Amino acid sequence: MDYIEKVLEKLKELARKLIEALLGPEAEQEPELIPIPVEDRSRRH
């Protein structure tokens, strides 16, 4: 049973490498932009 699990892991790894080779690395989520408060003096008047 352990042997089958090892083979499956290797197959998953190969599939992942193949997909990366064809489509590029896994699309990483873009980090969310954090709004930075800026004092807008023209609006305060």
Side-chain angles (χ1 to χ4, degrees):
M1 202 64 177
D2 195 37
Y3 175 75
I4 293 172
E5 288 175 11
K6 286 182 182 177
V7 171
L8 285 173
E9 274 302 311
K10 290 288 181 185
L11 284 173
K12 284 181 192 176
E13 202 173 302
L14 278 171
R16 185 178 49 78
K17 286 181 182 178
L18 182 63
I19 290 168
E20 280 185 11
L22 294 173
L23 306 176
E26 281 186 35
E28 294 179 20
Q29 287 185 338
E30 290 185 22
E32 280 189 40
L33 296 176
I34 300 170
I36 300 171
V38 176
E39 283 188 38
D40 190 0
R41 292 186 179 133
S42 63
R43 283 196 207 168
R44 286 193 175 175
H45 290 96

PDB file of all heavy atoms in Angstrom, residues 5-23 26:
ATOM      1  N   GLU A   5       1.104   4.603  -2.739  1.00  0.00           N
ATOM      2  CA  GLU A   5       1.064   6.008  -2.346  1.00  0.00           C
ATOM      3  C   GLU A   5       2.271   6.756  -2.884  1.00  0.00           C
ATOM      4  O   GLU A   5       2.157   7.889  -3.360  1.00  0.00           O
ATOM      5  CB  GLU A   5       0.992   6.127  -0.819  1.00  0.00           C
ATOM      6  CG  GLU A   5      -0.359   5.731  -0.260  1.00  0.00           C
ATOM      7  CD  GLU A   5      -0.398   5.742   1.261  1.00  0.00           C
ATOM      8  OE1 GLU A   5       0.554   6.257   1.887  1.00  0.00           O
ATOM      9  OE2 GLU A   5      -1.372   5.221   1.811  1.00  0.00           O
ATOM     10  N   LYS A   6       3.449   6.136  -2.836  1.00  0.00           N
ATOM     11  CA  LYS A   6       4.658   6.765  -3.360  1.00  0.00           C
ATOM     12  C   LYS A   6       4.549   6.983  -4.864  1.00  0.00           C
ATOM     13  O   LYS A   6       4.937   8.029  -5.381  1.00  0.00           O
ATOM     14  CB  LYS A   6       5.890   5.917  -3.038  1.00  0.00           C
ATOM     15  CG  LYS A   6       6.306   5.994  -1.586  1.00  0.00           C
ATOM     16  CD  LYS A   6       7.546   5.174  -1.330  1.00  0.00           C
ATOM     17  CE  LYS A   6       7.932   5.211   0.135  1.00  0.00           C
ATOM     18  NZ  LYS A   6       9.092   4.372   0.434  1.00  0.00           N
ATOM     19  N   VAL A   7       4.013   5.986  -5.569  1.00  0.00           N
ATOM     20  CA  VAL A   7       3.837   6.108  -7.020  1.00  0.00           C
ATOM     21  C   VAL A   7       2.860   7.235  -7.337  1.00  0.00           C
ATOM     22  O   VAL A   7       3.093   8.036  -8.240  1.00  0.00           O
ATOM     23  CB  VAL A   7       3.367   4.763  -7.631  1.00  0.00           C
ATOM     24  CG1 VAL A   7       2.979   4.939  -9.088  1.00  0.00           C
ATOM     25  CG2 VAL A   7       4.458   3.715  -7.492  1.00  0.00           C
ATOM     26  N   LEU A   8       1.768   7.316  -6.580  1.00  0.00           N
ATOM     27  CA  LEU A   8       0.791   8.378  -6.805  1.00  0.00           C
ATOM     28  C   LEU A   8       1.401   9.756  -6.568  1.00  0.00           C
ATOM     29  O   LEU A   8       1.142  10.693  -7.316  1.00  0.00           O
ATOM     30  CB  LEU A   8      -0.432   8.176  -5.905  1.00  0.00           C
ATOM     31  CG  LEU A   8      -1.383   7.064  -6.329  1.00  0.00           C
ATOM     32  CD1 LEU A   8      -2.460   6.862  -5.271  1.00  0.00           C
ATOM     33  CD2 LEU A   8      -2.015   7.370  -7.679  1.00  0.00           C
ATOM     34  N   GLU A   9       2.228   9.875  -5.522  1.00  0.00           N
ATOM     35  CA  GLU A   9       2.900  11.145  -5.250  1.00  0.00           C
ATOM     36  C   GLU A   9       3.795  11.540  -6.414  1.00  0.00           C
ATOM     37  O   GLU A   9       3.818  12.696  -6.831  1.00  0.00           O
ATOM     38  CB  GLU A   9       3.729  11.059  -3.961  1.00  0.00           C
ATOM     39  CG  GLU A   9       2.961  11.361  -2.702  1.00  0.00           C
ATOM     40  CD  GLU A   9       2.315  12.731  -2.705  1.00  0.00           C
ATOM     41  OE1 GLU A   9       3.004  13.731  -3.019  1.00  0.00           O
ATOM     42  OE2 GLU A   9       1.115  12.805  -2.407  1.00  0.00           O
ATOM     43  N   LYS A  10       4.544  10.575  -6.936  1.00  0.00           N
ATOM     44  CA  LYS A  10       5.439  10.849  -8.068  1.00  0.00           C
ATOM     45  C   LYS A  10       4.628  11.275  -9.291  1.00  0.00           C
ATOM     46  O   LYS A  10       5.018  12.189 -10.016  1.00  0.00           O
ATOM     47  CB  LYS A  10       6.292   9.625  -8.410  1.00  0.00           C
ATOM     48  CG  LYS A  10       7.341   9.305  -7.372  1.00  0.00           C
ATOM     49  CD  LYS A  10       8.458  10.331  -7.417  1.00  0.00           C
ATOM     50  CE  LYS A  10       9.519   9.996  -6.390  1.00  0.00           C
ATOM     51  NZ  LYS A  10      10.560  11.015  -6.307  1.00  0.00           N
ATOM     52  N   LEU A  11       3.483  10.613  -9.515  1.00  0.00           N
ATOM     53  CA  LEU A  11       2.640  10.974 -10.645  1.00  0.00           C
ATOM     54  C   LEU A  11       2.092  12.393 -10.497  1.00  0.00           C
ATOM     55  O   LEU A  11       2.056  13.155 -11.462  1.00  0.00           O
ATOM     56  CB  LEU A  11       1.479   9.980 -10.786  1.00  0.00           C
ATOM     57  CG  LEU A  11       1.842   8.625 -11.389  1.00  0.00           C
ATOM     58  CD1 LEU A  11       0.654   7.685 -11.307  1.00  0.00           C
ATOM     59  CD2 LEU A  11       2.307   8.771 -12.828  1.00  0.00           C
ATOM     60  N   LYS A  12       1.679  12.749  -9.283  1.00  0.00           N
ATOM     61  CA  LYS A  12       1.177  14.102  -9.037  1.00  0.00           C
ATOM     62  C   LYS A  12       2.269  15.128  -9.313  1.00  0.00           C
ATOM     63  O   LYS A  12       2.026  16.164  -9.921  1.00  0.00           O
ATOM     64  CB  LYS A  12       0.702  14.246  -7.580  1.00  0.00           C
ATOM     65  CG  LYS A  12      -0.620  13.598  -7.289  1.00  0.00           C
ATOM     66  CD  LYS A  12      -0.988  13.826  -5.832  1.00  0.00           C
ATOM     67  CE  LYS A  12      -2.154  12.972  -5.394  1.00  0.00           C
ATOM     68  NZ  LYS A  12      -2.445  13.134  -3.970  1.00  0.00           N
ATOM     69  N   GLU A  13       3.480  14.819  -8.847  1.00  0.00           N
ATOM     70  CA  GLU A  13       4.614  15.717  -9.047  1.00  0.00           C
ATOM     71  C   GLU A  13       4.911  15.882 -10.540  1.00  0.00           C
ATOM     72  O   GLU A  13       5.111  16.999 -11.018  1.00  0.00           O
ATOM     73  CB  GLU A  13       5.829  15.134  -8.327  1.00  0.00           C
ATOM     74  CG  GLU A  13       6.885  16.155  -8.000  1.00  0.00           C
ATOM     75  CD  GLU A  13       7.986  15.546  -7.147  1.00  0.00           C
ATOM     76  OE1 GLU A  13       7.677  15.026  -6.048  1.00  0.00           O
ATOM     77  OE2 GLU A  13       9.142  15.583  -7.594  1.00  0.00           O
ATOM     78  N   LEU A  14       4.909  14.773 -11.274  1.00  0.00           N
ATOM     79  CA  LEU A  14       5.154  14.832 -12.717  1.00  0.00           C
ATOM     80  C   LEU A  14       4.063  15.631 -13.428  1.00  0.00           C
ATOM     81  O   LEU A  14       4.350  16.433 -14.309  1.00  0.00           O
ATOM     82  CB  LEU A  14       5.214  13.420 -13.304  1.00  0.00           C
ATOM     83  CG  LEU A  14       6.536  12.690 -13.161  1.00  0.00           C
ATOM     84  CD1 LEU A  14       6.382  11.237 -13.585  1.00  0.00           C
ATOM     85  CD2 LEU A  14       7.619  13.355 -13.992  1.00  0.00           C
ATOM     86  N   ALA A  15       2.825  15.416 -13.038  1.00  0.00           N
ATOM     87  CA  ALA A  15       1.711  16.138 -13.659  1.00  0.00           C
ATOM     88  C   ALA A  15       1.848  17.634 -13.399  1.00  0.00           C
ATOM     89  O   ALA A  15       1.646  18.451 -14.303  1.00  0.00           O
ATOM     90  CB  ALA A  15       0.386  15.615 -13.122  1.00  0.00           C
ATOM     91  N   ARG A  16       2.215  17.991 -12.182  1.00  0.00           N
ATOM     92  CA  ARG A  16       2.375  19.404 -11.832  1.00  0.00           C
ATOM     93  C   ARG A  16       3.489  20.033 -12.658  1.00  0.00           C
ATOM     94  O   ARG A  16       3.344  21.131 -13.196  1.00  0.00           O
ATOM     95  CB  ARG A  16       2.675  19.549 -10.337  1.00  0.00           C
ATOM     96  CG  ARG A  16       2.729  20.990  -9.864  1.00  0.00           C
ATOM     97  CD  ARG A  16       2.981  21.098  -8.362  1.00  0.00           C
ATOM     98  NE  ARG A  16       4.094  20.289  -7.894  1.00  0.00           N
ATOM     99  CZ  ARG A  16       5.384  20.633  -8.039  1.00  0.00           C
ATOM    100  NH1 ARG A  16       5.703  21.740  -8.639  1.00  0.00           N
ATOM    101  NH2 ARG A  16       6.336  19.850  -7.576  1.00  0.00           N
ATOM    102  N   LYS A  17       4.615  19.311 -12.793  1.00  0.00           N
ATOM    103  CA  LYS A  17       5.730  19.825 -13.580  1.00  0.00           C
ATOM    104  C   LYS A  17       5.354  19.979 -15.042  1.00  0.00           C
ATOM    105  O   LYS A  17       5.734  20.950 -15.704  1.00  0.00           O
ATOM    106  CB  LYS A  17       6.950  18.911 -13.439  1.00  0.00           C
ATOM    107  CG  LYS A  17       7.638  19.048 -12.099  1.00  0.00           C
ATOM    108  CD  LYS A  17       8.848  18.149 -12.017  1.00  0.00           C
ATOM    109  CE  LYS A  17       9.515  18.261 -10.652  1.00  0.00           C
ATOM    110  NZ  LYS A  17      10.659  17.383 -10.517  1.00  0.00           N
ATOM    111  N   LEU A  18       4.581  19.024 -15.550  1.00  0.00           N
ATOM    112  CA  LEU A  18       4.146  19.078 -16.942  1.00  0.00           C
ATOM    113  C   LEU A  18       3.232  20.282 -17.171  1.00  0.00           C
ATOM    114  O   LEU A  18       3.385  21.023 -18.143  1.00  0.00           O
ATOM    115  CB  LEU A  18       3.417  17.786 -17.299  1.00  0.00           C
ATOM    116  CG  LEU A  18       2.929  17.661 -18.738  1.00  0.00           C
ATOM    117  CD1 LEU A  18       4.093  17.662 -19.707  1.00  0.00           C
ATOM    118  CD2 LEU A  18       2.112  16.392 -18.900  1.00  0.00           C
ATOM    119  N   ILE A  19       2.292  20.490 -16.262  1.00  0.00           N
ATOM    120  CA  ILE A  19       1.375  21.621 -16.374  1.00  0.00           C
ATOM    121  C   ILE A  19       2.147  22.931 -16.288  1.00  0.00           C
ATOM    122  O   ILE A  19       1.899  23.862 -17.055  1.00  0.00           O
ATOM    123  CB  ILE A  19       0.276  21.542 -15.288  1.00  0.00           C
ATOM    124  CG1 ILE A  19      -0.666  20.380 -15.607  1.00  0.00           C
ATOM    125  CG2 ILE A  19      -0.507  22.846 -15.199  1.00  0.00           C
ATOM    126  CD1 ILE A  19      -1.603  20.018 -14.483  1.00  0.00           C
ATOM    127  N   GLU A  20       3.116  23.014 -15.372  1.00  0.00           N
ATOM    128  CA  GLU A  20       3.925  24.229 -15.261  1.00  0.00           C
ATOM    129  C   GLU A  20       4.704  24.479 -16.537  1.00  0.00           C
ATOM    130  O   GLU A  20       4.840  25.610 -16.975  1.00  0.00           O
ATOM    131  CB  GLU A  20       4.889  24.131 -14.076  1.00  0.00           C
ATOM    132  CG  GLU A  20       4.243  24.424 -12.752  1.00  0.00           C
ATOM    133  CD  GLU A  20       5.249  24.435 -11.612  1.00  0.00           C
ATOM    134  OE1 GLU A  20       6.464  24.420 -11.866  1.00  0.00           O
ATOM    135  OE2 GLU A  20       4.805  24.456 -10.457  1.00  0.00           O
ATOM    136  N   ALA A  21       5.218  23.420 -17.154  1.00  0.00           N
ATOM    137  CA  ALA A  21       5.990  23.564 -18.386  1.00  0.00           C
ATOM    138  C   ALA A  21       5.095  24.052 -19.526  1.00  0.00           C
ATOM    139  O   ALA A  21       5.524  24.862 -20.352  1.00  0.00           O
ATOM    140  CB  ALA A  21       6.639  22.238 -18.755  1.00  0.00           C
ATOM    141  N   LEU A  22       3.847  23.596 -19.552  1.00  0.00           N
ATOM    142  CA  LEU A  22       2.943  23.977 -20.632  1.00  0.00           C
ATOM    143  C   LEU A  22       2.295  25.340 -20.409  1.00  0.00           C
ATOM    144  O   LEU A  22       2.174  26.130 -21.337  1.00  0.00           O
ATOM    145  CB  LEU A  22       1.843  22.925 -20.799  1.00  0.00           C
ATOM    146  CG  LEU A  22       2.301  21.550 -21.277  1.00  0.00           C
ATOM    147  CD1 LEU A  22       1.140  20.574 -21.221  1.00  0.00           C
ATOM    148  CD2 LEU A  22       2.868  21.625 -22.685  1.00  0.00           C
ATOM    149  N   LEU A  23       1.888  25.609 -19.185  1.00  0.00           N
ATOM    150  CA  LEU A  23       1.122  26.826 -18.903  1.00  0.00           C
ATOM    151  C   LEU A  23       1.892  27.863 -18.101  1.00  0.00           C
ATOM    152  O   LEU A  23       1.350  28.912 -17.789  1.00  0.00           O
ATOM    153  CB  LEU A  23      -0.154  26.467 -18.129  1.00  0.00           C
ATOM    154  CG  LEU A  23      -1.059  25.414 -18.752  1.00  0.00           C
ATOM    155  CD1 LEU A  23      -2.207  25.107 -17.821  1.00  0.00           C
ATOM    156  CD2 LEU A  23      -1.574  25.896 -20.097  1.00  0.00           C
ATOM    157  N   GLU A  26       2.182  28.024 -11.626  1.00  0.00           N
ATOM    158  CA  GLU A  26       0.806  28.195 -11.150  1.00  0.00           C
ATOM    159  C   GLU A  26       0.514  29.670 -10.952  1.00  0.00           C
ATOM    160  O   GLU A  26       1.325  30.414 -10.427  1.00  0.00           O
ATOM    161  CB  GLU A  26       0.612  27.477  -9.802  1.00  0.00           C
ATOM    162  CG  GLU A  26       0.419  25.994  -9.938  1.00  0.00           C
ATOM    163  CD  GLU A  26       0.098  25.354  -8.601  1.00  0.00           C
ATOM    164  OE1 GLU A  26      -0.587  25.978  -7.782  1.00  0.00           O
ATOM    165  OE2 GLU A  26       0.546  24.227  -8.400  1.00  0.00           O
TER     166      GLU A  26
END
